[in-house]
Amino acid sequence: MTNKINITLSTTKKEKPASNQLEFGRVFTDHMFVMDYSSSKGWYDPRIVPYEPITLSPSSMVFHYGQTVFEGLKAYRTKDDKVLLFRPDKNFQRLNLSNDRLCIPQIDEEFLIDALKQLVSIDKDWIPTAEGTSLYIRPFIIPTEYYLGVAPSKFYRFMIILSPVGSYYKEGIHPVKIFVENQYIRAVEGGTGKAKTGGNYASSLKAQDEAEKRGYSQVLWLDGVEKKYIEEVGSMNIFFKINGEIVTPSLNGSILEGVTRNSILQILNHWGVPVSERRLSMEEVYQAYKDGLLEEAFGSGTAAVISPIGEFFYKEEKMLINNGETGELSKKLYDTLTGIQTGVYEDVFNWVVEVK
Amino acid sequence: MTNKINITLSTTKKEKPASNQLEFGRVFTDHMFVMDYSSSKGWYDPRIVPYEPITLSPSSMVFHYGQTVFEGLKAYRTKDDKVLLFRPDKNFQRLNLSNDRLCIPQIDEEFLIDALKQLVSIDKDWIPTAEGTSLYIRPFIIPTEYYLGVAPSKFYRFMIILSPVGSYYKEGIHPVKIFVENQYIRAVEGGTGKAKTGGNYASSLKAQDEAEKRGYSQVLWLDGVEKKYIEEVGSMNIFFKINGEIVTPSLNGSILEGVTRNSILQILNHWGVPVSERRLSMEEVYQAYKDGLLEEAFGSGTAAVISPIGEFFYKEEKMLINNGETGELSKKLYDTLTGIQTGVYEDVFNWVVEVK
């Protein structure tokens, strides 16, 4: 693969939305990064081009067999107008893990970081400035072979698109209510749970929809084998503070290896907070709640960073956590992570990467 | 929804491939059926138009979250030049089951049968005539909203495309070798196993790939909970003949409800052959093999109709079935099903639907 990225700049500039009108994932910048793959050429023709539609035959594999992977990360503008990426190496590392599970060819991770930096640099005026806003980055791969056989595609397209996004918490960080799912399963060991692939999200929609109808904003996923052990919450990893200790489910093959999850574990270790990665049943959490030892619970992910949980609905019972308010540790982790991401806090972990 | 289908005929006709050069799913006919959905209009603008590419924004949900469903069936040309469909009602019924699981709006099944008939009638010259050939029909639905939020799409496109396909068995029906999968899982109860959705096929690719590298053509899927009970083979349902009785795994929520599977059960009942739908462990099959009671095994699906199994690789052992040859019952079922489908055998079950 040649590392030379061809750049074609857009001749027109789209109007940028006002900072207070930003939604998630609806508006996209002027450019995108594109690269193709064929069995004979490998990954080829890396290019930055004006944001434009994709045209594919109806027989293109992407419309039929779900062989897709994606990533999500963000670029932040600091108070002194620097542009920072948060741990992009972890995202592209995970992209290759997803690729491996989905039979998609590996991509040079260093090259992708370089490509991303060039793209963000070109569209840097799109990074919003208001507090809590950022530029959401969506790398993704689709199979493009025109063939209805069930087999790995011989052709792929890798793309990165950028979307300015508003603050996840329009009125400040606040807790959500979670329905403990007892019917649907997100993933199981031996499946695709740890890969960031479309099918995992498609399969989650129905449970999410039914939870919303009951007045809950997300579901808590239990394991697919015994429906006892906690896996994720919505599309986030999950943490509990039980009797002073932080507990999160260990990575078991069906849980996504969240970059935010990994960062939280490092921060907690740095702070000297006791933390345990292990198998954790919902019954154990319920018992801790009954014993008055369940102090906090929160989800973690790129979009919300930290999403405090104020209530679980489990076995026809409402479990109120920390009086339905954001816990002290949840808030401190949120401030620390967003502080590092936006250059307000010192980056002691060497996580942020500046886009020059 | 209006039931009036607008028809725009192609002004040019593509060249049709020779009967002996037909592959599966590579060449498509001159027309396709298209219909759109929006929350406000429901399903609207049903139309038959020239086969042409789809153009979508890179942010279209289909490229990210796998909320797709599809079906597969065939049209056959009889010796006296009639055009027959095989149980299209069952396919559109299952499409709606898949839609339900994937949060895609339901579609009027009667209307879809009518639309399919009109489309096949327009492109009927594309149905090949040689023995074993047919016109493969691929209805599918993709989410088309331009939005990166994880939620059911508010817009969809339903399409039917047609592909003339060659005989599955170029040199006559012959048995395949199957690897009993002990690591990867296709689906689990509470997941999407019984829906015909892209993610199920994406997750199967890696196991299939590894089996092929070992010299096996498909994998046998075991259940996701105990990895003991038989589910499917490749993308087919599976049957065993054990000591004179036909056994197939019962529909448990993670197994696809195959139209061919259903047809086989009806035929066997009609013949008075003892048949049992129940939970069946691989250990039980292995024990039957050891006891000399495993007489036949075969997969069933739209593409192959019947795919005899000549060997299983299980626990480092090769289990040779019926001396690696096609069993008598497998062959009889194949002849009966294809006979009904192509109008050679009497359609005592009222399964075929003529396209006038």
Side-chain angles (χ1 to χ4, degrees):
Chain A
M1 191 185 79
T2 167
N3 277 359
K4 174 77 176 70
I5 298 173
N6 273 310
I7 297 175
T8 309
L9 293 180
S10 174
T11 50
T12 57
K13 303 284 182 197
K14 290 184 278 193
E15 199 181 333
K16 297 175 184 66
S19 259
N20 61 355
Q21 292 189 324
L22 289 169
E23 285 184 81
F24 177 82
R26 293 245 182 233
V27 168
F28 296 85
T29 66
D30 290 315
H31 299 88
M32 60 186 190
F33 175 81
V34 185
M35 182 165 65
D36 291 303
Y37 176 91
S38 77
S39 320
S40 56
K41 295 187 202 175
W43 288 104
Y44 70 97
D45 193 13
R47 56 204 187 270
I48 290 170
V49 294
Y51 187 85
E52 62 183 9
I54 302 171
T55 297
L56 293 167
S57 163
S59 67
S60 181
M61 282 183 159
V62 69
F63 299 131
H64 303 272
Y65 303 127
Q67 196 197 4
T68 64
V69 297
F70 69 92
E71 274 300 326
L73 67 162
K74 286 177 175 175
Y76 307 86
R77 189 187 293 278
T78 68
K79 290 222 162 88
D80 53 351
D81 222 28
K82 285 182 187 164
V83 173
L84 303 181
L85 300 171
F86 185 71
R87 309 188 77 185
D89 54 324
K90 294 292 282 182
N91 288 92
F92 291 128
Q93 207 178 318
R94 186 172 62 187
L95 183 75
N96 270 333
L97 283 177
S98 301
N99 283 346
D100 179 64
R101 182 63 183 82
L102 274 297
C103 297
I104 297 173
Q106 299 284 298
I107 312 184
D108 185 311
E109 294 163 23
E110 287 297 321
F111 173 71
L112 289 184
I113 294 174
D114 181 53
L116 175 59
K117 282 181 179 173
Q118 289 194 46
L119 177 66
V120 170
S121 176
I122 286 171
D123 276 346
K124 67 177 181 300
D125 291 348
W126 280 86
I127 309 175
T129 51
E131 187 170 342
T133 64
S134 59
L135 185 71
Y136 182 78
I137 298 162
R138 170 56 58 91
F140 65 105
I141 303 177
I142 57 171
T144 52
E145 187 175 358
Y146 296 169
Y147 177 44
L148 293 187
V150 177
S153 178
K154 292 193 178 66
F155 306 96
Y156 298 91
R157 180 164 294 174
F158 170 92
M159 303 179 76
I160 304 176
I161 57 177
L162 308 174
S163 172
V165 297
S167 175
Y168 192 86
Y169 297 106
K170 300 231 186 298
E171 290 148 18
I173 183 170
H174 68 273
V176 292
K177 290 159 66 176
I178 299 297
F179 182 83
V180 180
E181 179 58 45
N182 51 18
Q183 181 184 0
Y184 299 108
I185 291 299
R186 177 188 167 274
V188 68
E189 198 212 319
T192 57
K194 78 173 177 183
K196 216 163 165 70
T197 180
N200 295 340
Y201 296 80
S203 82
S204 79
L205 296 174
K206 193 160 173 80
Q208 170 71 23
D209 189 53
E210 293 184 7
E212 278 174 22
K213 282 177 185 152
R214 292 171 193 244
Y216 290 83
S217 62
Q218 304 268 0
V219 301
L220 180 80
W221 297 107
L222 299 178
D223 76 283
V225 173
E226 299 183 59
K227 290 189 184 173
K228 279 170 62 177
Y229 298 99
I230 293 168
E231 298 233 322
E232 300 189 15
V233 58
S235 52
M236 295 185 285
N237 294 118
I238 190 164
F239 290 81
F240 298 87
K241 187 176 173 211
I242 299 174
N243 199 18
E245 186 193 46
I246 306 298
V247 187
T248 191
S250 42
L251 300 175
N252 60 357
S254 59
I255 293 176
L256 194 77
E257 304 184 12
V259 177
T260 311
R261 175 187 183 281
N262 177 286
S263 306
I264 288 168
L265 291 174
Q266 288 194 50
I267 291 173
L268 292 172
N269 277 323
H270 183 73
W271 287 345
V273 174
V275 59
S276 166
E277 288 182 79
R278 61 179 170 86
R279 200 155 88 144
L280 177 68
S281 72
M282 190 60 209
E283 253 330 282
E284 180 183 338
V285 169
Y286 179 72
Q287 203 50 57
Y289 162 75
K290 281 288 183 199
D291 296 344
L293 300 173
L294 178 56
E295 296 158 2
E296 297 186 33
F298 58 91
S300 73
T302 294
V305 185
I306 298 286
S307 180
I309 296 168
E311 179 188 317
F312 286 110
F313 187 82
Y314 176 60
K315 287 187 173 172
E316 306 303 314
E317 189 174 337
K318 290 181 181 183
M319 297 165 52
L320 197 68
I321 299 167
N322 193 37
N323 207 24
E325 288 163 20
T326 298
E328 194 184 329
L329 188 77
S330 305
K331 183 68 168 65
K332 193 174 162 195
L333 280 167
Y334 177 79
D335 291 341
T336 303
L337 275 163
T338 55
I340 293 171
Q341 287 164 343
T342 56
V344 174
Y345 283 26
E346 191 195 351
D347 176 25
V348 294
F349 303 98
N350 207 16
W351 283 336
V352 297
V353 173
E354 189 177 348
V355 176
K356 297 285 185 186
Chain B
M1 190 184 79
T2 167
N3 276 0
K4 173 78 176 69
I5 298 173
N6 273 309
I7 297 175
T8 309
L9 294 180
S10 175
T11 51
T12 57
K13 303 282 182 199
K14 288 184 279 193
E15 199 181 335
K16 297 176 184 65
S19 259
N20 61 357
Q21 291 190 326
L22 289 169
E23 286 183 82
F24 178 82
R26 293 240 182 238
V27 169
F28 297 85
T29 66
D30 289 315
H31 299 88
M32 60 186 189
F33 175 80
V34 185
M35 183 165 66
D36 291 302
Y37 176 91
S38 77
S39 321
S40 56
K41 295 187 202 175
W43 288 105
Y44 70 97
D45 195 12
R47 57 204 186 269
I48 290 170
V49 294
Y51 188 85
E52 62 183 10
I54 301 171
T55 296
L56 293 167
S57 162
S59 67
S60 181
M61 282 182 161
V62 68
F63 299 131
H64 303 272
Y65 303 128
Q67 196 197 4
T68 64
V69 296
F70 69 92
E71 274 300 326
L73 66 162
K74 286 177 175 175
Y76 307 84
R77 189 187 292 279
T78 68
K79 289 219 163 91
D80 52 351
D81 221 30
K82 284 182 187 163
V83 173
L84 303 181
L85 299 171
F86 185 71
R87 309 189 77 184
D89 54 325
K90 295 291 282 182
N91 289 91
F92 291 129
Q93 206 178 318
R94 187 172 61 187
L95 184 76
N96 270 333
L97 283 178
S98 300
N99 283 346
D100 179 64
R101 183 61 184 84
L102 275 296
C103 298
I104 297 172
Q106 299 284 298
I107 313 183
D108 184 310
E109 294 162 22
E110 287 297 322
F111 173 71
L112 290 184
I113 294 174
D114 181 53
L116 175 59
K117 283 180 179 174
Q118 289 195 46
L119 177 66
V120 170
S121 176
I122 286 171
D123 276 346
K124 67 176 179 305
D125 291 348
W126 280 88
I127 308 174
T129 52
E131 187 172 339
T133 64
S134 59
L135 186 71
Y136 182 78
I137 297 163
R138 169 56 57 91
F140 64 104
I141 302 176
I142 57 171
T144 51
E145 188 175 356
Y146 295 169
Y147 178 43
L148 294 187
V150 177
S153 177
K154 292 192 177 68
F155 306 96
Y156 299 90
R157 180 164 295 175
F158 171 93
M159 303 179 77
I160 304 176
I161 56 177
L162 309 173
S163 173
V165 298
S167 175
Y168 193 85
Y169 297 106
K170 301 231 185 298
E171 292 148 14
I173 184 168
H174 67 272
V176 293
K177 290 161 65 177
I178 300 297
F179 182 82
V180 180
E181 179 57 44
N182 50 19
Q183 182 184 359
Y184 299 107
I185 291 298
R186 178 189 166 274
V188 69
E189 198 213 318
T192 56
K194 78 171 176 183
K196 216 162 165 72
T197 180
N200 295 341
Y201 296 79
S203 83
S204 78
L205 297 174
K206 194 164 173 76
Q208 171 70 21
D209 189 53
E210 293 184 6
E212 278 174 21
K213 282 176 184 152
R214 291 171 193 244
Y216 290 84
S217 64
Q218 304 268 2
V219 301
L220 180 81
W221 297 107
L222 300 178
D223 76 282
V225 172
E226 299 183 59
K227 290 187 183 172
K228 278 170 62 178
Y229 298 99
I230 293 168
E231 299 233 321
E232 300 189 17
V233 58
S235 52
M236 295 185 285
N237 293 118
I238 189 165
F239 291 80
F240 298 88
K241 187 176 173 212
I242 299 174
N243 199 18
E245 185 192 46
I246 306 298
V247 186
T248 190
S250 42
L251 300 174
N252 59 358
S254 59
I255 293 176
L256 193 78
E257 304 184 12
V259 178
T260 311
R261 175 187 182 280
N262 177 285
S263 307
I264 288 168
L265 291 174
Q266 288 193 50
I267 292 172
L268 291 172
N269 277 322
H270 183 73
W271 287 347
V273 174
V275 58
S276 166
E277 289 182 79
R278 60 178 171 85
R279 200 155 89 144
L280 177 68
S281 72
M282 190 57 210
E283 243 349 87
E284 180 182 340
V285 170
Y286 179 72
Q287 203 50 58
Y289 162 76
K290 281 287 183 200
D291 297 343
L293 301 173
L294 179 56
E295 296 157 2
E296 297 186 33
F298 58 91
S300 74
T302 294
V305 186
I306 298 286
S307 180
I309 296 168
E311 180 188 318
F312 287 109
F313 188 82
Y314 177 59
K315 286 187 174 173
E316 306 303 314
E317 190 175 336
K318 290 182 182 182
M319 296 165 53
L320 197 68
I321 299 166
N322 193 37
N323 206 26
E325 288 163 21
T326 298
E328 194 185 328
L329 188 77
S330 305
K331 184 68 169 65
K332 191 176 164 196
L333 280 166
Y334 178 79
D335 291 340
T336 304
L337 274 164
T338 54
I340 294 172
Q341 288 165 343
T342 57
V344 174
Y345 283 25
E346 191 196 349
D347 175 25
V348 295
F349 304 99
N350 208 16
W351 283 338
V352 297
V353 173
E354 189 178 348
V355 176
K356 299 284 185 188

